[in-house]
Amino acid sequence: MLRNAGWIVMAVLCACSPRQNTPAHPPAPPAPQRPALKAVISADYTKLTLGEQVLLEAGKDGFLSIHQVRYSPAQDYFLVIGCGYECNDNVGFLFAADGSGKRKFTARWDFILQTAAEWSADGKYVYYYRINSSGAEAPAGTPAPGWVQVEIKTGTKAPAATRVLKPAATYRVFNVASDDVLNVRVAAGAAAPIAGTLPATAAGVRVTGTGVTAGGSVWVPIRYGELAGWINQNFLCEE
């Protein structure tokens, strides 16, 4: 009987012992993600390509050279600035990230001043500073120069009522004569005392808060080096 009891104890111990699992194979590494193709400006600035696609060509598409490509915050669209007369009267195009949906959003007597084009923070709009021409007199009735917004989904254009400068971005002074300066005020509005000035070539200007409407224009608080104050945002363009 005792001899049989020993066998029973051993059987119970074996049954209760944890089973040794066969080591599982380590999971396969994820397949490497191919980087999304980006639009590329040719070395001579005359073509814009995306992979094998030729998206724009100087002359054929109505400009002298390709100046700049700017992607939307979500990288799902990009805008292209093409140089026109002296690279002042510039043209603008919009594309989806895959190169489809080509759309020219400027027209005759409706140009981008230099590189004054930027994305809204949510990527729903492109803003650009519209001019008639820097080299010819515009016909009567042509809209006055100023910031314009283009709604990406519909292409609708209107004065840039939704333009809000982004604290994460840096800005440069623009549309100020080279021998002039931009006044920085101690408060919003042209009647406020002057805190200092920015040269016409100033860059690296940071917006430090929310804009305030004064005298029909939006003024934003800024910092430039040690200088802080308020500037009319119409004279700032994203770098």
Side-chain angles (χ1 to χ4, degrees), residues 124-148:
K124 293 181 179 180
Y125 296 92
V126 163
Y127 305 120
Y128 72 98
Y129 193 88
R130 179 199 170 283
I131 60 170
N132 299 321
S133 173
S134 60
E137 186 174 348
T142 304
W147 284 96
V148 173

Side-chain angles (χ1 to χ4, degrees), residues 28 53 65 82 130 169 176 183 229:
Q53 303 178 76
S65 62
R130 179 199 170 283
V176 173
N183 290 327

